[in-house]
Amino acid sequence: MTNMAMIEIVAAEEIGSLKEHHGGVIRKEDVRVGATEEVQIYESFRPGDVVCAKIISLGDSRRYYLSTADNDLGVIRATCSTSGQVMAPISWKEMECPKTKVKEPRK
């Protein structure tokens, strides 16, 4: 079971696109407020997702620690695992493929 998601930071709010990409980590306890024991990283984020997160700590020398605990943070773009289509959010924890109507969990 994975306890963290590895993130590539490519842009910052007041800066825009970064010249160099930086590493980030979203730990299980930083996905959302509350019951962290119920959080499953793979049900919150998938490879290729675009995530809006905030930096909460400088972390170690290689990565920043990030959080998606606020309601306005989380996956902002996801691709359907079956059709490859960009999915649309339908709730705070689910996205839906417009083509196949398949629903997938995300934060």
Side-chain angles (χ1 to χ4, degrees), residues 23-105:
V25 174
I26 301 175
R27 299 173 298 184
K28 183 176 175 176
E29 59 267 24
D30 298 323
V31 172
R32 65 180 152 172
V33 177
T36 58
E37 61 276 350
E38 296 173 11
V39 172
Q40 299 293 323
I41 290 293
Y42 191 71
E43 290 185 359
S44 300
F45 314 104
R46 304 268 176 97
D49 286 354
V50 177
V51 178
C52 184
K54 69 178 179 180
I55 296 173
I56 56 173
S57 169
L58 295 178
D60 57 27
S61 62
R62 298 180 310 259
R63 298 180 190 91
Y64 293 96
Y65 286 148
L66 308 172
S67 171
T68 59
D70 295 349
N71 289 337
D72 60 335
L73 302 175
V75 176
I76 58 174
R77 181 182 163 107
T79 304
C80 178
S81 61
T82 56
S83 72
Q85 297 287 311
V86 174
M87 301 179 81
I90 57 171
S91 74
W92 63 273
K93 61 180 185 175
E94 220 173 17
M95 296 186 96
E96 181 179 65
C97 176
K99 183 177 181 180
T100 64
K101 303 298 183 197
V102 168
K103 295 175 183 159
E104 294 183 12

